[in-house]
Amino acid sequence: MGLLNWLLKGRGFGTEELARRLGTDLPQLEDVVPHYREFGIPKHSGGVRRIFAPAPDLKTLQRRILRRLLARLRAHPAATAYERGRSIVTNARAHQAQAVVLRFDLVDFFPSTGEGRLRRYFRRIGWNRPATQLLLRWCTYRGGLPQGAPTSPRLSNLVNYRLDARLSGMATALGGVYTRYADDITISFAEDDRGKVMSVQRYVRQVVEQEGYRLHRRKKQSVRRRHQRQTVTGLVVNDRVNLPREVRRWLRAVEHRTQSGSVLSLRDYKPLERRSRKSPTLTPAQLEGWLALQSMVDRQGRDRLV
């Protein structure tokens, strides 16, 4: 019976152990129906991003999976999004004052993180086939990670450990630095060797495809040298990490107008004009958010790299 059970279910922890770790009983878990509400939000670069918001009971379960099963698992150090103590600033800071900065953008990152790769990951970390099937039921949708589920960001880092290790190893061997912030890959070098840059571009494309993703075409890829403005996750890194000059000027204007009692529209900042045709006024919460971002950039930009 033990051998038959092993043949049918595979090696690893089973559904009873899964229920125990999640602090509930198995029938309650099996009653959770994966249901999502789909809607779109405009992308900053144009187009629409599809969001899948889980139903309340599913969202509660996903948060429990995140907290009890995924939180302590190890992502690669080069993965800087969704990780404690890391941010767009720490991601950008790794590439400051470099001779050349290469950026790549993955197409449909979350839905392209496929169910097959997640299945192999859950089996590798110790769950048997039935437990893995339950985890896939709760954490995937339409064959990939649903953007909007609490578990998706963390799983996207965990399952891409090999992608990060391969690209980080390549960059280190060539004397460069590699980071990934969600679907944004950045590699930088202290010396500008054009032959090396071309080789790196070919290698990144090859590895990305082998790991199940696609790169945006040339218009989405970027090679920036010292005489050009080098940006990483929206921050300028030519000398030290900073907000773009036009953003800093705009924020100074915001503060001045706020102090004088004027009403500021988002139209006053041209890059934001693309995000809203209605050009709504800037709310106090929005202003607070922008100022908090500036403070974070100033603070973390001065921190010592580790």
Side-chain angles (χ1 to χ4, degrees):
M1 188 65 182
L3 176 62
L4 179 61
N5 186 66
W6 181 83
L7 290 173
L8 291 174
K9 298 183 178 181
R11 181 181 301 173
F13 297 112
T15 53
E16 293 80 6
E17 175 63 14
L18 179 60
R20 187 191 70 79
R21 294 192 187 186
L22 292 176
T24 185
D25 56 68
L26 189 56
Q28 281 185 308
L29 288 179
E30 292 175 335
D31 284 343
V32 177
V33 178
H35 179 71
Y36 294 85
R37 179 174 62 89
E38 182 179 353
F39 60 93
I41 59 174
K43 293 182 180 180
H44 295 167
S45 57
V48 176
R49 189 185 310 279
R50 305 311 304 174
I51 302 297
F52 300 92
D57 58 341
L58 177 60
K59 188 173 185 177
T60 298
L61 176 57
Q62 289 171 340
R63 284 176 171 166
R64 188 172 293 187
I65 291 171
L66 176 63
R67 185 174 66 253
R68 298 192 176 198
L69 301 185
L70 305 179
R72 295 188 179 183
L73 298 177
R74 184 170 176 244
H76 195 278
T80 56
Y82 322 121
E83 296 295 325
R84 186 182 299 275
R86 304 177 199 173
S87 68
I88 61 170
V89 183
T90 54
N91 181 71
R93 197 177 60 201
H95 305 283
Q96 64 187 3
Q98 294 282 69
V100 60
V101 176
L102 291 74
R103 289 174 47 208
F104 308 86
D105 191 22
L106 301 176
V107 178
D108 296 330
F109 177 60
F110 282 104
S112 296
T113 305
E115 185 175 307
R117 295 179 65 209
L118 292 159
R119 184 188 308 277
R120 290 190 292 274
Y121 178 76
F122 287 135
R123 292 302 312 280
R124 191 164 64 247
I125 63 174
W127 297 105
N128 70 9
R129 293 191 190 98
T132 291
Q133 198 58 39
L134 280 180
L135 287 167
L136 291 174
R137 178 186 179 190
W138 300 323
C139 298
T140 65
Y141 185 60
R142 296 180 180 175
L145 290 177
Q147 187 158 359
T151 46
S152 292
R154 183 77 176 127
L155 280 171
S156 73
N157 280 348
L158 294 172
V159 80
N160 277 307
Y161 193 101
R162 188 174 69 173
L163 167 70
D164 294 330
R166 294 177 70 184
L167 294 182
S168 179
M170 176 272 299
T172 301
L174 295 176
V177 179
Y178 163 83
T179 64
R180 180 180 57 81
Y181 192 90
D183 57 355
D184 290 330
I185 289 173
T186 307
I187 300 173
S188 61
F189 296 96
E191 296 181 358
D192 184 5
D193 182 327
R194 293 179 182 270
K196 182 188 294 185
V197 167
M198 294 179 64
S199 297
V200 168
Q201 288 176 310
R202 288 194 295 267
Y203 184 75
V204 170
R205 185 177 297 108
Q206 173 186 331
V207 170
V208 161
E209 290 176 356
Q210 290 173 352
E211 296 295 331
Y213 298 108
R214 292 184 298 117
L215 290 178
H216 278 291
R217 291 301 179 184
R218 189 171 300 275
K219 67 176 184 177
K220 287 285 188 176
Q221 296 180 35
S222 171
V223 179
R224 290 291 181 267
R225 295 177 164 85
R226 290 287 297 172
H227 67 280
Q228 301 169 303
R229 184 163 81 169
Q230 300 169 326
T231 59
V232 177
T233 46
L235 302 174
V236 178
V237 296
N238 288 70
D239 296 307
R240 67 178 184 87
V241 177
N242 211 339
L243 290 171
R245 181 179 300 172
E246 63 270 21
V247 179
R248 287 181 276 128
R249 287 176 175 173
W250 176 74
L251 281 173
R252 286 195 295 268
V254 170
E255 292 183 282
H256 174 73
R257 294 196 186 189
T258 300
Q259 291 169 1
S260 64
S262 301
V263 176
L264 190 78
S265 167
L266 292 182
R267 183 177 291 149
D268 291 298
Y269 176 41
K270 296 301 182 183
L272 290 178
E273 200 173 357
R274 297 190 301 269
R275 303 184 192 180
S276 175
R277 294 183 179 180
K278 296 181 179 179
S279 296
T281 57
L282 192 70
T283 66
Q286 288 172 323
L287 173 57
E288 184 179 352
W290 278 99
L291 294 177
L293 173 62
Q294 183 181 43
S295 176
M296 181 180 74
V297 171
D298 291 342
R299 183 181 68 257
Q300 294 185 9
R302 292 191 300 267
D303 290 345
R304 180 174 174 268
L305 283 171
V306 293

